[in-house]
Amino acid sequence: MELAEPVGISAAALWLPRGRDRVEDAVAEGRLTRRHAEDLGHTAVPAALDESAPDMAVSAASDVLDAAGIEPKELDLTFHASMYYQGHDLWSPAHYVAHRIGAERALPIGIQQVCNGGSSAVQLASAYLTAARTTGSPRSRRALVTTADRFVAPGFDRWASDYGVAYGDGGTALVLTAPAADEDPLLLLSVASTAAPELEEMHRGADPFAPVPRGVRDRVDMRVTKRAYLREHGNEGFVAANLRGIRTVVGEALVDAGMHPYDLRLRYAVLPRFGRRTLRDSWRAVLAEHTSAEPLEYGLATGHLGAGDAVAGIADLMRERALAPGEAALVFSAGAGFTWSCLVVQAPDR
């Protein structure tokens, strides 16, 4: 998606709980084999103690509003994205986050795009802000994006519910401003997304449709559905779709940002927070063919943050002040369905 003008990223935050779930404990308990632990590459991931997922989003949102110096009443929109259960049935966590932070004037919108939810929320928010600018309104418009997930028993095993991914708990938030303000530390230049809907079966497998959540088995087990898919279709289709998805979003995002794959301004490629082997086999090689940007793996300390990988990546770029003026980064996410996204962010060249 090409933006008519850059959208400012006024602040971004990653909020992690104090608890830690150690991989050694998972191996000792028989939840994870030693080989799979080595493939993941984590020593521990953040684990919520008594924090709910939406409350972690509220904490991240409060941090980001403080950092941006923005009052909740200044927000036009709030988006909340999540992957896993948010604590109540038939209830809107997006409205809860807006209520808890005092954004009573904002329109809350919930995003269900599994692991790609954060990027999808950023894409929709930036599209809204850009479109609103075309009305000729002189005032700035702002949107808050939050994500949060908590992966706990008995419904989810963060170490054993999936292949090649360990799931960490946490909340993320960022504020988008249009037009970008002089003090915004980063600019969002473009967002590109592509999908392969035929791959939805990987997370459905041979399971029947159930009348209630976890009606087929008492724990989310993506390994079962993926094995069923692979028995039926093999692995070639997914491998090809994944390569095509990454190439597509890289190419489109760079074109829309006015850059080329070997642009000297392009410094980093922030990878999704998947396991080390998954990134090596499915991401690093294809990116090396299509960009000179240096890959960054921020996920070794956190694991996969559900819907929050992309926003967390932006927060880490800001925290480390990784980009010099004029430098840019690609920020990636991908999720079941499947959908791939790439955001291009740049430090203003002041």
Side-chain angles (χ1 to χ4, degrees):
M1 179 184 71
E2 183 177 0
L3 302 176
E5 59 183 356
V7 173
I9 302 177
S10 301
L14 168 60
W15 192 94
L16 298 175
R18 300 182 309 278
R20 290 294 180 272
D21 196 340
R22 299 190 316 140
V23 70
E24 288 297 333
D25 293 336
V27 172
E29 294 163 6
R31 297 156 58 197
L32 190 68
T33 68
R34 177 66 60 188
R35 180 176 66 83
H36 285 146
E38 292 173 353
D39 288 344
L40 290 171
H42 312 291
T43 57
V45 295
L49 301 176
D50 53 7
E51 304 93 345
S52 73
D55 282 326
M56 291 190 286
V58 170
S59 295
S62 298
D63 288 347
V64 86
L65 291 174
D66 286 345
I70 291 172
E71 295 294 326
K73 65 183 180 181
E74 298 179 68
L75 297 172
D76 297 282
L77 296 166
T78 64
F79 287 81
H80 179 69
S82 61
M83 170 185 171
Y84 188 54
Y85 188 58
Q86 297 288 286
H88 290 282
D89 302 316
L90 293 176
W91 171 76
S92 173
H95 287 72
Y96 176 82
V97 173
H99 173 62
R100 285 292 308 278
I101 65 172
E104 304 294 348
R105 193 183 65 80
L107 175 64
I109 299 173
I111 301 294
Q112 176 48 261
Q113 191 66 210
V114 205
C115 303
N116 209 56
S119 289
S120 296
V122 170
Q123 187 165 15
L124 292 171
S126 57
Y128 177 94
L129 295 176
T130 300
R133 289 285 297 159
T134 66
T135 65
S137 172
R139 73 177 182 87
S140 297
R141 295 181 181 270
R142 294 187 172 92
L144 171 74
V145 172
T146 63
T147 77
D149 280 295
R150 185 187 186 204
F151 302 100
V152 292
F156 202 104
D157 186 330
R158 68 177 79 253
W159 298 107
S161 281
D162 202 355
Y163 288 117
V165 182
Y167 290 78
D169 302 340
T172 73
L174 63 72
V175 172
L176 298 173
T177 301
D182 290 342
E183 63 270 20
D184 287 338
L186 287 179
L187 303 174
L188 178 66
L189 302 187
S190 67
V191 185
S193 296
T194 190
E198 69 274 14
L199 296 177
E200 57 82 19
E201 191 177 341
M202 290 191 77
H203 289 75
R204 179 169 52 89
D207 290 355
F209 285 92
V212 294
R214 303 206 314 271
V216 176
R217 59 185 63 85
D218 60 4
R219 175 171 66 84
V220 174
D221 196 338
M222 292 170 276
R223 294 184 177 192
V224 170
T225 60
K226 288 179 178 180
R227 285 197 300 267
Y229 175 87
L230 294 173
R231 283 194 299 270
E232 179 72 19
H233 301 286
N235 193 42
E236 295 79 7
F238 171 74
V239 170
N242 186 64
L243 294 175
R244 184 170 61 250
I246 297 171
R247 289 168 178 158
T248 297
V249 295
V250 169
E252 291 183 358
L254 286 174
V255 167
D256 289 345
M259 296 183 177
H260 58 80
Y262 301 98
D263 198 302
L264 294 178
R265 294 170 292 175
L266 196 56
R267 180 73 185 276
Y268 295 117
V270 181
L271 302 179
R273 298 181 181 226
F274 302 154
R276 183 165 50 192
R277 181 175 178 180
T278 299
L279 293 177
R280 183 195 69 199
D281 294 349
S282 300
W283 284 81
R284 282 182 168 271
V286 64
L287 286 176
E289 295 174 2
H290 291 84
T291 175
S292 58
E294 177 187 345
L296 289 182
E297 290 186 30
Y298 284 131
L300 287 177
T302 68
H304 180 40
L305 294 171
D309 280 7
V311 178
I314 293 172
D316 282 338
L317 285 172
M318 285 189 175
R319 176 180 54 82
E320 294 187 351
R321 301 190 180 194
L323 298 176
E327 291 184 336
L330 306 172
V331 181
F332 291 96
S333 66
F338 266 73
T339 308
W340 297 260
S341 289
C342 177
L343 292 67
V344 180
V345 300
Q346 183 180 35
D349 191 4
R350 298 190 179 102

